[in-house]
Amino acid sequence: MRVEQIQLEPAARDWSQSAVLGQRGAAARNFADLVAARLVGTVLPFSERESLVRTAARYGIARFEANLIIAVVQNQMGVGRQREKPKRTSRRLRLSPAVAAAVVVQAGIVAAVWYLMF
């Protein structure tokens, strides 16, 4: 698994486009900024999540809403999105070395048998 670093701007983010955060108050948006700052690459470690849920309680945000806000932030930051798959080589190109090796081995066996018989 490869972890990618996300560059975070120090300024607050615009959560107005979010269906969940757009209608919430300033405390929820500030909490969302805090969550975005705590992401490690695209992952939020479990210990950080627990710490954030406790911090949310101090903001007056319930545990369920805190977890919802964390999920929204992770979604908007690109967590869980499919990365581009690397181009696969054609099957013919992948089999070529195996076929060549088999032909060389078979030729060696035929040459050895020919040498022993004549």
Side-chain angles (χ1 to χ4, degrees):
M1 185 169 117
R2 197 171 41 149
V3 177
E4 298 174 4
Q5 291 293 332
I6 294 178
Q7 298 297 326
L8 299 173
E9 304 91 38
R13 297 190 179 281
D14 178 22
W15 300 109
S16 61
Q17 299 300 318
S18 170
V20 174
L21 291 170
Q23 303 299 319
R24 298 256 190 306
R29 289 191 298 273
N30 289 340
F31 179 67
D33 290 334
L34 184 61
V35 171
R38 297 260 184 105
L39 285 176
V40 176
T42 58
V43 177
L44 182 66
F46 183 73
S47 59
E48 287 292 326
R49 177 181 288 271
E50 289 299 310
S51 171
L52 285 168
V53 169
R54 285 191 299 274
T55 302
R58 289 192 291 266
Y59 279 105
I61 300 171
R63 182 177 187 84
F64 176 79
E65 273 195 281
N67 282 308
L68 180 63
I69 292 169
I70 290 170
V72 167
V73 170
Q74 285 181 312
N75 182 50
Q76 291 200 356
M77 298 295 286
V79 175
R81 290 195 185 135
Q82 291 286 342
R83 292 190 190 101
E84 284 186 27
K85 293 182 180 177
K87 270 188 152 179
R88 294 187 68 182
T89 57
S90 69
R91 185 176 179 152
R92 186 183 326 162
L93 291 177
R94 285 185 287 149
L95 289 179
S96 298
V99 170
V103 168
V104 168
V105 169
Q106 291 298 319
I109 292 172
V110 168
V113 169
W114 182 268
Y115 178 75
L116 291 175
M117 294 195 66
F118 297 104

